[in-house]
Amino acid sequence: MRIICVNNYDEMSEKAANILASQIILKPESVVGLATGSTPIGMYDHMVRAYESGKISFQRVTTFNLDEYFNLDKNNPQSYYFYMKKNLYDKVDIPNENINIPNGMVEDIERECIRYEKEIRNKGGIDIQVLGIGRNGHIGFNEPDIKFEALTHMVNLDEQTIRDNSRFFSSIEEVPTKAISMGIKTIMRAKKIVLLASGKEKAESIYEAIYGKITPTLPASVLQLHPDVVFVLDKDAAWKLDSKELDKEYL
Ligand code: PGA
């Protein structure tokens, strides 16, 4: 595990975008796992700029998103499909057929989950997976007490996640209570993982993910077992960590 700690949100975003851009430059047909939420927005912005300046192309890249709300139409501005179009897909040259996001509107959810896993496998697996982290330590929508052996599946959202995500909806009642999410096993199969966190409200879950016991109670703690994971943190998210272990760029 490597921990990169930078000054602020923008530096975190730029660093993460550089990691993804390097991956795409080294392997133009990369399979990239992507995340939503407020944390990666700046990273997407930097990636769009890298595309516009001709540094990277998404022509041969395939993407798989971590999760999608259950029963929320993809044209709903709160859907993750909508988020991805707005923040990345509509601004770069990725072919539509290379974009994969779980479909939360299908009748047979179990079948959709199996289809999603098969698609990932057919593309040769995920080369690099981007993650955020919830205040409760979730990754994707793998909420506390998830089973580590889970593949893509339907999840019930934790009360804290519903409260946290209500800021994007006009009322808490509108927040879906279920979602389809890659499971911990799907995430752990990615060849590389990049986890981003910014802000003091993530400091506790970051500390537990890195130093805590490996336990389903704190899903991100499983990343301690991954052979190639990098945490890109701003100094607020990193403040509880032992400074000796950090690659610090703000000192
Ligand atoms: P956030 O969510 O980026 O909106 O804080 C992160 C997450 O829940 O994974």
Side-chain angles (χ1 to χ4, degrees):
M1 176 182 295
R2 183 149 175 232
I3 305 162
I4 297 176
C5 184
V6 294
N7 270 309
N8 54 41
Y9 178 78
D10 192 53
E11 288 181 16
M12 175 204 76
S13 304
E14 188 175 8
K15 187 70 69 182
N18 285 345
I19 294 171
L20 283 194
S22 311
Q23 168 72 38
I24 293 169
I25 290 167
L26 287 168
K27 184 179 176 191
E29 67 285 8
S30 285
V31 179
V32 180
L34 293 174
T36 49
S38 43
T39 309
I41 290 177
M43 177 193 80
Y44 291 133
D45 196 38
H46 280 279
M47 290 181 73
V48 169
R49 281 190 248 163
Y51 161 70
E52 285 171 348
S53 64
K55 289 189 188 128
I56 52 171
S57 163
F58 291 79
Q59 274 290 335
R60 291 157 68 195
V61 170
T62 298
T63 61
F64 283 92
N65 267 80
L66 273 172
D67 44 21
E68 178 59 283
Y69 287 118
F70 172 62
N71 219 1
L72 198 63
D73 189 84
K74 64 182 190 181
N75 296 316
N76 185 311
Q78 303 312 332
S79 78
Y80 289 159
Y81 177 86
F82 197 95
Y83 169 108
M84 288 306 301
K85 297 279 275 181
K86 176 167 149 223
N87 290 298
L88 185 70
Y89 297 147
D90 281 349
K91 298 179 174 169
V92 298
D93 60 345
I94 187 163
N96 261 335
E97 61 273 22
N98 292 11
I99 295 171
N100 296 279
I101 303 181
N103 184 350
M105 293 293 287
V106 292
E107 247 169 52
D108 191 341
I109 291 290
E110 207 169 311
R111 194 157 152 198
E112 170 64 6
C113 295
I114 293 168
R115 181 196 69 79
Y116 205 66
E117 283 293 328
K118 274 197 186 145
E119 254 340 281
I120 295 174
R121 207 168 342 126
N122 290 344
K123 297 286 176 197
I126 292 170
D127 290 303
I128 189 162
Q129 176 67 54
V130 177
L131 298 175
I133 185 169
R135 282 197 295 157
N136 61 5
H138 74 197
I139 46 177
F141 271 136
N142 293 284
E143 303 287 24
D145 297 325
I146 193 80
K147 290 196 168 46
F148 280 167
E149 58 272 31
L151 292 168
T152 298
H153 65 303
M154 170 92 114
V155 293
N156 292 315
L157 303 188
D158 195 71
E159 268 176 40
Q160 177 159 44
T161 302
I162 293 174
R163 268 198 311 277
D164 287 349
N165 288 4
S166 66
R167 68 191 192 278
F168 301 114
F169 292 80
S170 31
S171 74
I172 194 160
E173 287 73 35
E174 282 181 28
V175 186
T177 54
K178 291 175 192 286
I180 299 182
S181 178
M182 284 186 198
I184 294 289
K185 194 165 176 178
T186 324
I187 293 170
M188 290 295 280
R189 282 178 178 166
K191 293 170 193 119
K192 282 177 196 292
I193 295 178
V194 187
L195 184 145
L196 314 186
S198 160
K200 283 212 158 66
E201 66 280 9
K202 300 292 173 69
E204 182 65 30
S205 59
I206 285 295
Y207 178 86
E208 289 298 328
I210 293 172
Y211 290 125
K213 206 170 111 192
I214 299 172
T215 165
T217 312
L218 200 295
S221 63
V222 76
L223 299 175
Q224 293 174 34
L225 300 173
H226 194 280
D228 192 353
V229 56
V230 56
F231 281 66
V232 185
L233 311 173
D234 72 4
K235 61 183 174 190
D236 286 341
W239 79 269
K240 287 195 160 186
L241 303 179
D242 182 342
S243 59
K244 287 195 287 296
E245 304 214 1
L246 306 179
D247 293 344
K248 277 181 295 202
E249 299 193 4
Y250 59 85
L251 285 180

